């Protein structure tokens, strides 16, 4: 792994991306997005996750995060990815409406076989490419990038209208899915 993408300062704020293996469009179903959201809420409450910005796209998730002093940021990231991968794969298995179930599970299984860290399946790519946001310029550039992802993808016309993003919080809207710390 490149030395460029490592968490070096536990006190810093980081931009991270979690990507589904092979960039598969898994988060097109609300139930899978909601599993990820619930995991983020749990980690905020119980593991010391500090969430500043997020956006869940169809094949990946962008976050701007830090942690409370008693927690380890790598551990929080590991726990989110491990927990969500198990629950999302179980949800895919149980979803009789999932027309891609067999194909998705086959791909996750093939990816898991190719990685000695897994027992059966691999849902997320191994890396999260943490980038330390050590200047205001970097912070706001990444936040704009996150919030404008759904606009660039042609999903919404304005960032605050995308449900699975922190853009609504930054626009001052009252109804949001998760609390974020505004910067």
């Amino acid at each position: 792994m490149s030395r460029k993408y490592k968490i070096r300062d536990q006190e810093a704020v980081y931009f991270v991306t979690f990507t589904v293996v092979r960039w598969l469009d898994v988060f097109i179903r609300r139930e899978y997005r909601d599993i990820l959201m619930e995991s983020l809420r749990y980690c905020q409450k119980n593991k010391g996750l500090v969430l500043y910005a997020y956006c869940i796209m169809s094949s990946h998730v962008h976050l701007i995060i830090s942690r409370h002093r008693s927690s380890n940021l790598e551990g929080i990231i590991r726990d989110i990815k491990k927990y969500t991968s198990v629950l999302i794969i179980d949800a895919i298995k149980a979803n009789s409406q999932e027309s891609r179930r067999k194909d998705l599970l086959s791909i996750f299984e093939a990816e898991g076989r190719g990685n000695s860290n897994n027992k059966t399946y691999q849902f997320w790519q191994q890396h999260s490419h943490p980038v330390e946001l050590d200047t205001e310029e970097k912070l706001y550039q990444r936040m704009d990038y996150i919030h404008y992802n759904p606009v660039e993808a042609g999903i919404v016309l304005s960032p605050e209208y995308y449900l699975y993003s922190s853009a609504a919080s930054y626009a001052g809207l009252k109804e949001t899915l998760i609390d974020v710390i505004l910067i």
Side-chain angles (χ1 to χ4, degrees), residues 10-130:
Q10 290 291 324
E11 306 306 315
V13 174
Y14 285 88
F15 168 81
V16 296
T17 300
F18 303 163
T19 306
V20 179
V21 295
R22 299 190 194 177
W23 287 83
L24 294 171
D25 290 323
V26 172
F27 295 109
I28 58 174
R29 294 190 182 273
R30 183 178 189 142
E31 69 183 283
Y32 307 149
R33 292 187 304 256
D34 288 347
I35 290 169
L36 180 58
M37 293 297 292
E38 189 56 40
S39 179
L40 292 173
R41 283 187 206 96
Y42 178 85
C43 288
Q44 284 177 308
K45 184 176 179 183
N46 298 297
K47 294 197 175 262
L49 174 68
V50 179
L51 181 63
Y52 300 100
Y54 74 95
C55 183
I56 302 174
M57 297 297 289
S58 63
S59 62
H60 62 285
V61 179
H62 296 298
L63 306 169
I64 295 179
I65 59 174
S66 68
R67 54 109 190 168
H68 293 297
R69 291 199 184 278
S70 62
S71 303
N72 175 291
L73 198 50
E74 295 95 340
I76 294 170
I77 291 169
R78 178 201 62 231
D79 291 350
I80 292 169
K81 290 174 80 172
K82 183 176 181 181
Y83 179 78
T84 57
S85 66
V86 170
L87 260 60
I88 292 168
I89 288 171
D90 285 348
I92 290 168
K93 287 177 181 177
N95 187 347
S96 62
Q97 300 298 310
E98 180 57 75
S99 60
R100 306 169 305 151
R101 177 178 23 190
K102 183 178 176 184
D103 292 334
L104 289 171
L105 294 174
S106 177
I107 291 168
F108 297 146
E109 188 174 21
E111 292 293 322
R113 279 194 309 269
N115 183 340
S116 62
N117 293 330
N118 297 317
K119 293 181 181 173
T120 309
Y121 298 106
Q122 182 170 337
F123 179 81
W124 297 110
Q125 291 181 12
Q126 288 285 114
H127 52 78
S128 59
H129 288 270

